[in-house]
Amino acid sequence: ADLAAVVRDQLELRLSALHVVRAEQERRKVEEDKRQAEEEARKRAERDKAAIAAFASTLQRTLVPPALPAVPGLELACHYKTASPQEVGGDFYDVFPVDGGRWAFFLGDVCGKGAEAASVTSLTRYTLRAAALVDADPTAALKALNAALLLDAAVGTRFCTAIFGLLDPARDGGFTVTLATGGHPPAYHLSPTETGNVRVEAVRAKGGMLVGAFPEAAFAARTLHLAPGQGLLLYTDGLTEARTADGHMLADSGLANFLAQRPAPVAAGALIDDTVALLDTLPDTERDDVALLALSVPTLDAAPTGITTTAHSAAAPTADASVGQENRRP
C-alpha cells in the first residue's frame, strides 16, 4: 500500500507537470498566433492605407493640371498641398488659353473633402473651362458655374468659393487683368515702389457671393493692370486660417505684412517659394488644403518669359510624400 501510494504520488506529480508544460505550450501558441494576427492586421492596414493614399493621389491629379502652361510674357507658379494624403482635397485651380491671345485662370475651394467634394471639384473645373470658351467674361463664367452646381442633383448642398481671371496682353508688355470673385478671399497685387519696397493691395470686388448656394447669386468683377515687375497672388483660406505659434490665425493682415517684405521686382516662382516657406514655419497647417497660384510679369532685363513652376505635395513634409513634380520650362 505504501509503495502504491508513492507510485501514485509520482504519477500525479508527473501528470501535473505535463499539464503545466502543455498549458505553457498552448499559451505560447496563442500568444504567437495573436502576434502573427496583429502583425498581419498591421501589414494589411498599412497596405490599405497606402492603397487609399495612392487612389486619393491619382484622383487628385485628375482634378488639377499636371503642369502650368507657358504663357508668353508671363511667369506662373503654383503650389498644392492636401491636408491628408488619404483624402482628396477640395481646392482647385487652372490656367488655359481662350481667344485672341487671351488667357483665363481660376482658383477656388469646394466645401468639404472626400469623394463628394472631388465630384464637385471636377464639375467646377471643367464647367469653368467650357464656359470661358463660350464667353470669356469672368462674371459670366461664374454665373454658368453657379447654374451648373444648382442643376446637378448629385452635388447636393455642396457649394464653393472661386476667383476667375482673364489676362489680356497690353502694349507695355504687361497684362490687363479682369478678376471676378464668388465669395473667395481677395487676391493680392504686388508692385515695386520707387524706394525698392513692395506695395501690397488686396484686390476685392465687392458683392461676389458663394457659387452654387443661391439661384440668383451676384458676382462682382474688377480690372487692374499687371505691369512688368508686378505680381498677383491667389490662394485658398487654408493659408490665412493657418495658426501661428501663438495660436492666432495668420489672417489677411499677417499675409499682407509678409508679402510686403518680398523683394522687388516680384517673381512668381520666388513668391510661391517664400509663401511655402512661411507655411513650413507654421505649426498648424494640416487642418485644411492649401492652393497657391502666382502670376508675375518679368521686367525687360529679366530672364526669358514663359517660365512656369508647378509643385503638388501631400500633407506629409517628407520628400516621398510628393504626389507631383516641379516643372520649369523656358
Side-chain angles (χ1 to χ4, degrees):
D2 292 340
L3 180 59
V6 171
V7 172
R8 182 189 62 191
D9 291 342
Q10 290 295 323
L11 291 175
E12 289 181 350
L13 287 174
R14 293 186 180 185
L15 183 60
S16 177
L18 182 61
H19 288 163
V20 170
V21 170
R22 289 179 177 176
E24 179 65 18
Q25 291 175 342
E26 291 179 357
R27 184 187 66 80
R28 290 182 178 180
K29 185 176 183 302
V30 170
E31 290 181 351
E32 179 63 20
D33 292 344
K34 182 180 178 181
R35 187 191 63 80
Q36 292 179 355
E38 290 176 348
E39 180 67 16
E40 180 62 27
R42 184 186 63 80
K43 291 181 179 179
R44 185 167 56 250
E46 290 179 351
R47 289 195 299 268
D48 293 344
K49 185 178 180 180
I52 293 173
F55 173 77
S57 173
T58 302
L59 179 57
Q60 189 71 66
R61 283 196 295 268
T62 66
L63 302 178
V64 294
L68 295 175
V71 180
L74 190 71
E75 180 177 347
L76 293 170
C78 68
H79 174 76
Y80 189 88
K81 173 179 173 293
T82 56
S84 169
Q86 279 78 45
E87 286 188 341
V88 182
D91 293 359
F92 58 90
Y93 64 89
D94 206 348
V95 182
F96 55 97
V98 282
D99 57 353
R102 298 185 299 176
W103 291 77
F105 63 92
F106 58 78
L107 179 141
D109 185 2
V110 171
C111 172
K113 296 181 180 63
E116 292 184 7
S119 65
V120 180
T121 301
S122 178
L123 173 64
T124 297
R125 182 185 174 203
Y126 292 107
T127 298
L128 286 176
R129 288 183 67 103
L133 295 178
V134 176
D135 187 351
D137 178 66
T139 303
L142 292 183
K143 288 182 178 179
L145 176 60
N146 189 70
L149 292 178
L150 291 173
L151 287 175
D152 194 332
V155 172
T157 59
R158 298 281 181 175
F159 56 85
C160 71
T161 66
I163 183 167
F164 191 101
L166 181 65
L167 292 165
D168 196 354
R171 292 183 178 179
D172 66 347
F175 292 86
T176 298
V177 184
T178 304
L179 285 176
T181 59
H184 199 78
Y188 280 100
H189 183 198
L190 285 68
S191 53
T193 64
E194 295 180 355
T195 59
N197 298 324
V198 174
R199 181 173 64 89
V200 179
E201 178 189 3
V203 183
R204 302 179 186 271
K206 297 181 179 179
M209 303 172 65
L210 291 173
V211 186
F214 307 101
E216 302 298 329
F219 305 106
R222 179 178 170 182
T223 301
L224 60 92
H225 183 66
L226 194 63
Q230 298 182 358
L232 190 66
L233 176 66
L234 287 72
Y235 58 93
T236 55
D237 57 10
L239 172 61
T240 51
E241 292 182 358
R243 297 188 178 275
T244 60
D246 57 7
H248 296 92
M249 288 195 302
L250 180 65
D252 292 344
S253 59
L255 178 58
N257 292 334
F258 167 78
L259 295 176
Q261 302 173 18
R262 300 308 95 207
V266 179
L271 182 58
I272 291 297
D273 290 342
D274 291 345
T275 307
V276 172
L278 170 65
L279 281 169
D280 291 340
T281 65
L282 301 178
D284 182 31
T285 59
E286 297 186 1
R287 289 189 178 185
D288 200 1
D289 310 322
V290 176
L292 307 173
L293 177 63
L295 306 83
S296 67
V297 180
T299 57
L300 297 178
D301 57 349
T305 58
I307 300 173
T308 64
T309 302
T310 304
H312 304 156
S313 57
T318 55
D320 59 356
S322 174
V323 298
Q325 60 181 353
E326 183 177 295
N327 305 284
R328 297 184 184 272
R329 179 173 55 186

